Amino acid sequence: MNATQFLALVDTDRGELKDRIGRARQRFYKLARTADPKARRRGLDWNVNQVIAHVLCVARRYQAIAEGRDFRRARYPRELDQINREEMLAAMAPIPELLEKLEALETVMDEFFDNLPDDYTNEFHCGATTSGIILQINWLFDLLLHGEDIARAVGVKWDIHERDMLLLLREVVEVAPAYVKPGISPTTDISVILQIPAARPYLMHIHDGTLEVRPRRSSDRPDAVLKAPASTMVRLILQRIGPVAAVGKGLRIVGGRRPWKALQLGSCIESP
């Protein structure tokens, strides 16, 4: 999806993203250099060393695109799990070596993002087609959320600014149609409006076995209207927290014809 063709959940530009990526990158390096390589976040199979190796693998995918090469794409979400694990194991090295390799890719990645035309699109995992803005947000996504994984593994604080989470939510919403679970009945019909501070109200509508995402229209009659901070909604959709925890972090159902159906939306989307 391209920002020149539709109204995104929230607007941004390459300059803002470059600045936020630069700050996230330095925070990630600083934390990674002091983290226990063998520490693990509760609920995550990988230790700190493996998480950092994975982030390097993601950076190498950007390097491949920038150099006109291809990379291994997943056809469906659980295949992406397999690809991530295989690439991570092949990249494993001591943390200082991984970070040195990651730093060496900074210039390639920055120049790639700086020079992308406004109408650029790229095939993402699971058949999604993304804009250059979403590709850039995805790198911010990896630095911040995998930084959070490391911080939780070693028990240190890792704040993520709500504006960063709002940008991450834009990506999550735009690529979500590629993560619809196979085999959903074509009769399933669930429509939810996301009402997020500082963002456009956005519709997520499961129907005919697909997920439609777009700005809210005056004619929409959603089953539920969900209000929450972007940070809560990102973690809920990614299944990093459950509905009960989300309520504790500000999630509210504030409207809709059949508000109980909001709880069914998550069961229709694969976790990335």
Side-chain angles (χ1 to χ4, degrees), residues 116-135:
L116 283 179
D118 290 340
D119 60 353
Y120 177 87
T121 60
N122 186 271
E123 182 185 349
F124 202 62
H125 293 294
C126 307
T129 299
T130 63
S131 67
I133 288 289
I134 294 300
L135 275 184

Side-chain angles (χ1 to χ4, degrees), residues 155-173:
V156 300
K157 193 174 182 181
W158 181 265
D159 292 328
I160 303 179
H161 194 278
E162 200 63 25
R163 173 64 182 178
D164 287 319
M165 294 301 277
L166 187 56
L167 294 169
L168 269 54
L169 183 59
R170 172 175 168 175
E171 178 192 355
V172 169
V173 168

Side-chain angles (χ1 to χ4, degrees), residues 57-181:
C57 292
V58 174
R60 285 173 170 169
R61 294 170 190 166
Y62 284 100
Q63 179 189 20
I65 299 171
E67 295 176 352
R69 297 181 286 111
D70 207 354
F71 66 92
R72 188 179 173 194
R73 292 175 177 83
R75 294 164 295 175
Y76 46 87
R78 300 291 69 85
E79 185 181 34
L80 181 56
D81 295 343
Q82 178 184 343
I83 291 171
N84 284 341
R85 181 166 185 80
E86 290 174 359
E87 291 184 353
M88 176 273 291
L89 291 173
M92 276 296 289
I95 289 176
E97 183 178 334
L98 294 172
L99 293 178
E100 183 179 354
K101 292 177 179 178
L102 196 52
E103 287 179 298
L105 294 177
E106 288 183 13
T107 301
V108 172
M109 294 178 68
D110 287 346
E111 290 181 353
F112 170 66
F113 291 136
D114 288 346
N115 294 307
L116 283 179
D118 290 340
D119 60 353
Y120 177 87
T121 60
N122 186 271
E123 182 185 349
F124 202 62
H125 293 294
C126 307
T129 299
T130 63
S131 67
I133 288 289
I134 294 300
L135 275 184
Q136 198 168 359
I137 292 175
N138 186 67
W139 183 229
L140 179 66
F141 180 110
D142 275 284
L143 291 168
L144 290 175
L145 291 190
H146 289 311
E148 181 178 73
D149 289 334
I150 296 170
R152 290 179 60 188
V154 299
V156 300
K157 193 174 182 181
W158 181 265
D159 292 328
I160 303 179
H161 194 278
E162 200 63 25
R163 173 64 182 178
D164 287 319
M165 294 301 277
L166 187 56
L167 294 169
L168 269 54
L169 183 59
R170 172 175 168 175
E171 178 192 355
V172 169
V173 168
E174 288 189 34
V175 303
Y179 286 81
V180 172
K181 289 183 177 179

Side-chain angles (χ1 to χ4, degrees), residues 4 10 40 48-49 62 79 86 98 104 115 132 143 153 155 158 203 212 215 240 248 250 254 258-259 265:
T4 62
V10 61
R40 294 177 188 268
V48 165
N49 205 151
Y62 284 100
E79 185 181 34
E86 290 174 359
L98 294 172
N115 294 307
L143 291 168
W158 181 265
L203 173 77
E212 175 188 8
R240 284 181 167 239
V254 295
R258 297 173 290 183
L265 182 65

Side-chain angles (χ1 to χ4, degrees), residues 189-263:
D189 193 318
I190 305 168
S191 60
V192 174
I193 296 291
L194 304 184
Q195 196 168 295
I196 311 297
R200 295 182 177 93
Y202 235 68
L203 173 77
M204 300 184 74
H205 186 190
I206 295 280
H207 62 94
D208 301 311
T210 65
L211 171 60
E212 175 188 8
V213 295
R214 58 166 173 77
R216 182 175 189 169
R217 297 169 183 160
S218 59
S219 59
D220 288 333
R221 296 293 180 266
D223 294 316
V225 179
L226 299 182
K227 184 176 182 179
S231 52
T232 298
M233 193 59 66
V234 166
R235 292 186 173 100
L236 179 63
I237 295 175
L238 295 181
Q239 300 178 26
R240 284 181 167 239
I241 60 174
V244 174
V247 169
K249 294 179 181 296
L251 174 67
R252 298 291 184 270
I253 299 176
V254 295
R257 301 172 302 153
R258 297 173 290 183
W260 63 88
K261 296 195 76 172
L263 300 176

